[in-house]
Amino acid sequence: QSTVRRAARSLGLSNQPEKKVYAVNDLSLTINKGEVLGLVGESGCGKSTAGRMIAGLLPPTSGEIAFEGKPVDSSQPSRHLETQMVFQNPYASLNPRLRVDQLISEAALYHKLVEKRDVPSFVAALLKQVGLDASYASRYPHQFSGGQRQRIAIARALSLNPKFVVCDEAVSALDVSVQAQVLNLFMDLRESKELTYLFISHNLAVVEYIADRVAIMYLGRVVELADTQAIFTSPNHPYTQALIADAPRLQVKMVEHRPVQGELPSPLNPPSGCTFHPRCPRAMPRCASERPMLRKVAEGHFSACHLNDLS
Ligand code: SF4
Ligand code: MG
């Protein structure tokens, strides 16, 4: 019960505590070591909730999350070392009263990954890794630009030596010119630190740039999963097709746009059958009653649409 409520709260539905809301349903994803898996969908589709669950911050009501083959226990503090999250808003995630060296070393000191006397060199090395000058260590967050603040947030995430980083709209609040720089930093760190990413974004251009594979989410479910190139050149699902047809290609767009006709239905009262059917230009009678399952349409390419039964 409480998990359902927590999931619901993250969708802003806490005023309806009695109703069961599943922000995420039947989610089954494998993220391979070293890859960047993009998770795409409109605002409110459950991608942030999925990200928190995958990061181990939110236990699923049922099912299991495993990391390197071992089940994840979200109540275990050590769990939070190997997986870190980077959020959209570096303004909100950095305590304005703390200096950069304090911000970056706080968690590592707590987890005894660094000794107090080694903090200056520890911080300097992390600042260097994210492309910032070591002299910034004694400054405060308000003295930095948005991009620099996001670099500080990334340095803080790296301070715990994670293997897996969940980025939730991590470049969405940044100026367009800065987005590419921070994306390139993520790519560099992936190599130098052997990181694996779940990269959550509503922005297709960002995901096309950074992801190896892409999962498309609609109302709490993955409706399509494929290599990035396949998603962009031969999308199977009508929802993905609509997203891509509408996307400003090769141009990073900042505003959250509504690419598909009609509003995203409320997760409190999802449509029957294929939850996309009220908005789907290719809906058939069957779509209103029968839920399509995710199934293989090509090698490594999965889609949940009844149209695949016709071909
Ligand atoms: Fe459209 Fe039907 Fe496919 Fe759903 S199952 S995406 S409604 S055609
Ligand atoms: Mg979100």
Side-chain angles (χ1 to χ4, degrees):
Q1 266 305 63
S2 71
T3 309
V4 171
R5 245 174 263 161
R6 282 170 70 186
R9 200 174 298 141
S10 73
L11 281 175
L13 301 170
S14 57
N15 54 343
Q16 308 247 14
E18 297 318 315
K19 182 138 185 184
K20 277 201 177 193
V21 178
Y22 296 95
V24 176
N25 272 295
D26 298 335
L27 186 77
S28 177
L29 279 178
T30 300
I31 305 170
N32 302 311
K33 190 169 165 51
E35 88 169 333
V36 181
L37 180 70
L39 186 60
V40 172
E42 287 166 277
S43 180
C45 73
K47 54 194 194 301
S48 292
T49 304
R52 283 185 170 80
M53 282 183 187
I54 292 166
L57 300 178
L58 187 68
T61 25
S62 61
E64 185 184 89
I65 293 166
F67 185 78
E68 295 186 332
K70 288 183 233 85
V72 165
D73 176 359
S74 54
S75 63
Q76 221 176 39
S78 65
R79 166 70 204 134
H80 303 301
L81 300 178
E82 65 209 11
T83 301
Q84 287 298 303
M85 281 194 81
V86 177
F87 295 98
Q88 171 165 6
N89 191 344
Y91 304 77
S93 66
L94 299 176
N95 183 339
R97 291 198 183 82
L98 295 184
R99 286 196 320 261
V100 167
D101 55 352
Q102 295 170 307
L103 284 166
I104 291 179
S105 61
E106 204 181 23
L109 280 168
Y110 176 81
H111 289 286
K112 299 187 169 45
L113 298 178
V114 64
E115 299 213 26
K116 202 140 196 172
R117 62 184 150 86
D118 296 328
V119 163
S121 59
F122 180 76
V123 169
L126 284 162
L127 285 173
K128 189 167 173 231
Q129 281 165 20
V130 298
L132 294 177
D133 196 89
S135 68
Y136 291 178
S138 57
R139 298 194 199 170
Y140 290 87
H142 74 267
Q143 295 174 283
F144 295 95
S145 68
Q148 288 172 325
R149 270 184 269 217
Q150 193 58 294
R151 287 174 192 267
I152 294 165
I154 294 166
R156 193 179 51 170
L158 294 177
S159 73
L160 299 175
N161 228 355
K163 296 175 179 169
F164 177 48
V165 180
V166 176
C167 300
D168 189 358
E169 303 284 4
V171 298
S172 302
L174 304 176
D175 288 345
V176 174
S177 59
V178 179
Q179 289 192 340
Q181 295 166 15
V182 175
L183 287 174
N184 287 335
L185 172 63
F186 278 122
M187 300 293 260
D188 292 345
L189 292 170
R190 169 203 196 172
E191 275 197 20
S192 61
K193 299 270 178 185
E194 296 179 12
L195 294 175
T196 302
Y197 293 111
L198 176 67
F199 209 92
I200 300 170
S201 181
H202 69 276
N203 188 320
L204 282 166
V206 163
V207 167
E208 183 180 20
Y209 186 71
I210 200 164
D212 302 308
R213 286 193 304 150
V214 178
I216 306 284
M217 248 185 128
Y218 188 76
L219 279 186
R221 291 172 194 273
V222 170
V223 297
E224 185 159 5
L225 172 69
D227 287 346
T228 305
Q229 209 203 338
I231 286 283
F232 283 90
T233 57
S234 48
N236 177 277
H237 197 280
Y239 179 60
T240 312
Q241 291 168 357
L243 282 180
I244 288 176
D246 197 75
R249 301 300 299 282
L250 303 174
Q251 181 210 334
V252 179
K253 200 173 165 187
M254 308 237 322
V255 291
E256 182 127 4
H257 63 302
R258 293 255 165 216
V260 185
Q261 294 280 307
E263 288 296 301
L264 189 67
S266 165
L268 282 171
N269 193 15
S272 58
C274 173
T275 54
F276 186 55
H277 84 262
R279 302 168 86 189
C280 182
R282 302 184 65 189
M284 309 168 279
R286 172 185 183 195
C287 301
S289 57
E290 233 181 289
R291 168 169 298 144
M293 292 297 145
L294 200 63
R295 64 183 183 83
K296 189 170 163 182
V297 295
E299 199 50 50
H301 193 155
F302 303 85
S303 177
C305 174
H306 293 313
L307 287 168
N308 293 309
D309 289 352
L310 306 176
S311 51

